[in-house]
């Protein structure tokens, strides 16, 4: 296993990609180190976030490589990688900035694909800040900007807002869950680390605002459930575990939790 | 000939039973959901909640929200008590503690067919649940379906069916007690409010039945907001 942490450590691969005929298509996962991402973007004509579900890519395809008891994000990455035949190379977050599952899947895919798969780890601790997480944008838009900002940081100005609620977690596989929240919802957890460009910062990942009711979300079968469950208990939040799609009982729990928390926020 | 005017109603359209509130005069009725199509033609459904709600209305409130709105004042006045809605196919609960922290869950699987199973078993054996004594010890139930299997195993071991059924009910009650956070008081909503054996099978909580129209009351509050 060879994990790289800077563009200088992968010059050979970068030179090879530069020699490929255009157009070059890059797939990536997680939040690779900034300098690697900059170089990768320069060399690639199309950039595909393999973490994001695609309509024409069924999750079941992932079972060629990984068991079904694997988180929906990792199954999405695997299915995308196997079915998007036109990929020329992959930058695969494989260290403590992503997850063990990601590292193992990268290993398996490296052996079954005949394109370069660069395994990276992002240990950056220099904070970029969290204006999007604390803005008044609709929660869905916050997540779109955070996710898209991995490729090119989103520098559009936003308005900070006083929070009513918190959403803790990773970008969910099913973004429809985000539509249940009002814009005055601040983002915490790994999504906050993504915007801050410090995906391995566990202290930031554990940080929440203790004064606001917070939903602690994790994908089923993901070890981040340990954090989500424990933090939900510590801060009296709502722990929500979702596999692939968000079902009506999950949506109902969130709607009722938001209503009850909002209507009972003042002490007796 | 004039077409008769349809009667405005609110529906709690559950898996087994549909509870109806006639909004013009406040009267209430309960119909088996399997026969609701016989009655629905004369109704103008203003809004609905329940598992089948979206079959009959475009204005749907989810069951937990209806439960929350119906019982919020009760929960605020009784911190730590659980409001539990035992339906045909699932169990939902809400508690609010003394610091206003909300705990909430909706069990659609391990509570599988709690209410429906109890009704099926009661009618299969022809039990009068008001005359059966609650069991001293529970039957350990992973869920309703596997619990029923174990109950029939007991009967095969020559245990009296009434005793085996009482142990099954006690196992259900223990599961619900743990599921809703082991509260001292449970406010019970749903059809099992009418089942004295079920209520007496809770050995570690005081159970206060709220009746079968709790979700409809919450739905009504939603409309007045």
């Amino acid at each position: 296993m060879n994990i790289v942490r800077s563009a200088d450590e992968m010059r050979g691969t970068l030179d090879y990609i530069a020699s490929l005929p255009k157009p070059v298509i890059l797939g990536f996962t997680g939040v690779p180190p900034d300098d690697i991402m900059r170089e990768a973007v320069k060399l690639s004509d199309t950039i595909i976030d393999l973490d994001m579900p695609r309509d024409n890519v069924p999750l079941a395809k992932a079972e060629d490589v990984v068991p079904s008891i694997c988180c929906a994000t990792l199954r999405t990455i695997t299915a995308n990688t196997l079915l998007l035949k036109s990929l020329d190379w992959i930058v695969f977050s494989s260290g403590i900035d992503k997850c063990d599952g990601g590292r193992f899947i990268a290993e398996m895919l490296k052996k079954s694909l005949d394109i370069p798969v660069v395994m990276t780890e992002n240990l950056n601790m220099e904070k970029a800040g969290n204006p999007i997480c604390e803005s008044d944008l609709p929660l869905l838009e916050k997540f779109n900007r955070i996710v898209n900002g991995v490729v090119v940081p989103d520098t559009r100005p936003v308005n900070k807002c006083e929070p009513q609620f918190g959403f803790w977690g990773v970008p969910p596989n099913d973004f429809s869950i985000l539509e249940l929240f009002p814009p005055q919802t601040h983002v915490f957890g790994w999504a906050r680390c993504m915007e801050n460009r410090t995906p391995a910062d566990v202290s930031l990942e554990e940080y929440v605002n203790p004064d606001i009711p917070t939903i602690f979300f994790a994908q089923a079968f993901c070890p981040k459930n340990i954090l989500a469950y424990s933090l939900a208990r510590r801060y009296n939040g709502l722990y929500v575990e979702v596999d692939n799609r968000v079902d009506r009982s999950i949506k109902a729990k969130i709607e009722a939790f938001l209503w009850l928390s909002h209507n009972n926020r003042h002490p007796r | 000939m004039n077409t008769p005017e349809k009667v405005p109603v609110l529906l709690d359209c559950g898996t087994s039973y549909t509870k109806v509130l006639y909004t013009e005069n406040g009267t209430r009725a309960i119909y088996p959901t399997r026969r609701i199509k016989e009655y629905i033609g004369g109704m103008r459904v203003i809004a609905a909640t329940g598992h089948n709600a979206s079959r009959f209305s475009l204005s749907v409130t989810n069951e937990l929200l209806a439960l929350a709105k119906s019982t919020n004042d009760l929960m605020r006045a009784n911190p730590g008590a659980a409001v539990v809605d035992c339906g045909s196919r699932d169990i939902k609960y809400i508690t609010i503690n003394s610091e206003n922290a909300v705990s909430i869950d909706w069990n659609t699987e391990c509570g599988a067919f709690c209410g429906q199973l109890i009704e099926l078993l009661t009618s299969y054996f022809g039990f009068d649940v008001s005359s059966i004594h609650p069991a001293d010890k529970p039957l350990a139930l992973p869920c309703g379906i596997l619990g029923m299997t174990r109950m029939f195993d007991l009967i095969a071991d020559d245990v009296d069916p009434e005793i085996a059924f009482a142990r099954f009910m006690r196992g259900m009650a223990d599961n619900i007690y743990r599921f809703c956070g082991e509260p001292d008081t449970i406010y019970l909503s749903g059809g099992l409010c009418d089942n004295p054996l079920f209520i007496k099978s809770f050995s570690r909580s005081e159970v206060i039945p709220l009746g079968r129209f709790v979700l409809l009351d919450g739905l009504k509050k939603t409309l007045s907001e």
Side-chain angles (χ1 to χ4, degrees):
Chain A
M1 185 185 304
N2 182 25
I3 293 186
V4 299
R5 297 181 180 84
S6 72
D8 286 341
E9 295 174 46
M10 50 181 284
R11 280 293 154 207
T13 306
L14 293 174
D15 290 343
Y16 169 73
I17 300 299
S19 72
L20 292 177
K22 296 284 184 182
V24 170
I25 302 177
L26 164 71
F28 77 95
T29 74
V31 185
D34 276 354
D35 65 331
I36 291 179
M37 210 55 198
R38 273 195 302 273
E39 294 284 335
V41 168
K42 262 191 258 172
L43 293 173
S44 307
D45 303 283
T46 301
I47 296 149
I48 297 172
D49 185 345
L50 298 172
D51 288 299
M52 299 303 289
R54 303 171 77 84
D55 287 342
N56 55 348
V57 176
L59 272 195
K61 180 63 184 169
E63 290 176 33
D64 289 359
V65 175
V66 297
S68 54
I69 47 160
C70 192
C71 95
T73 304
L74 293 178
R75 280 183 283 152
T76 297
I77 291 170
T78 308
N80 280 337
T81 304
L82 294 176
L83 284 176
L84 298 173
K85 301 285 185 199
S86 52
L87 291 176
D88 292 299
W89 68 308
I90 298 173
V91 173
F92 207 120
S93 298
S94 312
I96 60 167
D97 55 327
K98 182 75 173 172
C99 63
D100 283 348
R103 190 167 75 250
F104 297 142
I105 288 170
E107 277 294 315
M108 293 301 106
L109 292 173
K110 256 178 112 162
K111 290 178 173 62
S112 60
L113 301 173
D114 56 2
I115 56 172
V117 177
V118 182
M119 295 169 67
T120 67
E121 183 171 56
N122 185 347
L123 301 179
N124 176 51
M125 289 293 157
E126 215 169 285
K127 296 179 190 313
N130 289 108
I132 296 173
C133 289
E134 297 183 355
S135 73
D136 62 358
L137 292 169
L139 189 59
L140 183 65
E141 177 60 14
K142 285 187 182 95
F143 270 85
N144 278 329
R145 291 192 186 192
I146 290 168
V147 168
N148 294 333
V150 174
V151 178
V152 180
D154 192 317
T155 55
R156 283 174 285 178
V158 289
N159 299 316
K160 188 168 179 163
C161 76
E162 278 301 309
Q164 281 183 6
F165 301 107
F167 182 95
W168 182 101
V170 299
N173 201 251
D174 180 355
F175 267 31
S176 72
I177 193 173
L178 304 172
E179 293 169 349
L180 302 172
F181 294 80
Q184 298 79 18
T185 302
H186 280 189
V187 176
F188 301 95
W190 195 68
R192 195 175 182 93
C193 299
M194 287 177 80
E195 186 191 17
N196 199 42
R197 310 195 87 75
T198 56
D201 184 351
V202 179
S203 298
L204 180 63
E205 191 168 1
E206 282 183 51
Y207 166 74
V208 296
N209 179 341
D211 298 326
I212 53 174
T214 297
I215 274 76
F216 292 85
F217 163 86
Q219 294 288 161
F221 312 116
C222 173
K224 287 191 192 295
N225 278 290
I226 296 166
L227 278 180
Y229 181 83
S230 305
L231 291 170
R233 289 178 74 90
R234 190 187 306 164
Y235 294 109
N236 288 320
L238 179 69
Y239 165 62
V240 170
E241 182 198 18
V242 177
D243 184 10
N244 180 17
R245 312 305 298 176
V246 180
D247 65 26
R248 55 191 290 273
S249 77
I250 295 284
K251 287 185 177 175
K253 274 199 285 194
I254 292 172
E255 282 178 349
F257 179 82
L258 296 180
W259 187 87
L260 282 164
S261 300
H262 184 69
N263 284 278
N264 295 295
R265 64 192 183 283
H266 301 301
R268 290 174 176 82
Chain B
M1 196 168 79
N2 289 337
T3 311
E5 237 177 75
K6 293 191 174 188
V7 183
V9 296
L10 300 180
L11 289 188
D12 169 11
C13 204
T15 306
S16 296
Y17 292 98
T18 295
K19 283 70 71 178
V20 183
L21 172 65
Y22 293 92
T23 56
E24 283 182 339
N25 57 15
T27 57
R28 295 161 163 182
I30 299 175
Y31 303 109
T33 297
R34 68 178 187 278
R35 294 180 56 195
I36 192 63
K37 284 191 173 168
E38 295 172 28
Y39 304 98
I40 203 80
M43 298 176 184
R44 180 166 60 82
V45 182
I46 300 168
T49 186
H51 188 219
N52 287 290
S54 53
R55 286 171 61 192
F56 302 110
S57 179
L58 293 175
S59 174
V60 172
T61 296
N62 87 57
E63 296 97 304
L64 261 177
L65 199 52
L67 184 66
K69 291 186 178 187
S70 180
T71 59
N72 191 38
D73 292 344
L74 181 67
M75 288 188 286
R76 276 178 70 89
N78 297 278
V83 172
V84 180
D85 181 68
C86 284
S88 288
R89 61 180 279 279
D90 54 22
I91 303 162
K92 315 162 193 80
Y93 88 89
I94 305 171
T95 61
I96 301 179
N97 73 12
S98 55
E99 293 166 342
N100 286 337
V102 174
S103 181
I104 195 164
D105 209 347
W106 181 344
N107 185 334
T108 53
E109 285 160 13
C110 295
F113 292 96
C114 169
Q116 201 164 53
L117 260 183
I118 289 170
E119 186 172 337
L120 284 170
L121 290 170
T122 303
S123 65
Y124 174 73
F125 284 104
F127 290 143
D128 172 7
V129 286
S130 63
S131 67
I132 299 177
H133 289 289
D136 292 332
K137 60 177 182 178
L139 193 59
L141 313 178
C143 71
I145 304 286
L146 292 175
M148 183 171 65
T149 307
R150 291 186 181 174
M151 190 195 88
F152 280 108
D153 286 346
L154 279 185
I155 294 169
D157 289 341
D158 214 21
V159 173
D160 182 274
E162 284 197 0
I163 292 171
F165 182 63
R167 288 189 59 192
F168 171 84
M169 293 285 263
R170 172 77 190 273
M172 282 281 192
D174 282 6
N175 279 1
I176 293 166
Y177 169 72
R178 281 191 296 272
F179 173 63
C180 66
E182 305 186 358
D184 292 334
T185 306
I186 290 175
Y187 290 100
L188 182 67
S189 153
L192 286 169
C193 287
D194 298 335
N195 188 317
L197 175 61
F198 181 72
I199 290 172
K200 285 187 281 187
S201 294
F202 286 84
S203 59
R204 286 172 283 185
S205 288
E206 182 191 9
V207 177
I208 301 169
L210 300 177
R212 305 182 72 168
F213 296 99
V214 177
L215 300 191
L216 269 185
D217 291 341
L219 182 61
K220 194 175 163 191
K221 281 192 180 172
T222 300
L223 298 179
S224 62
E225 282 173 352

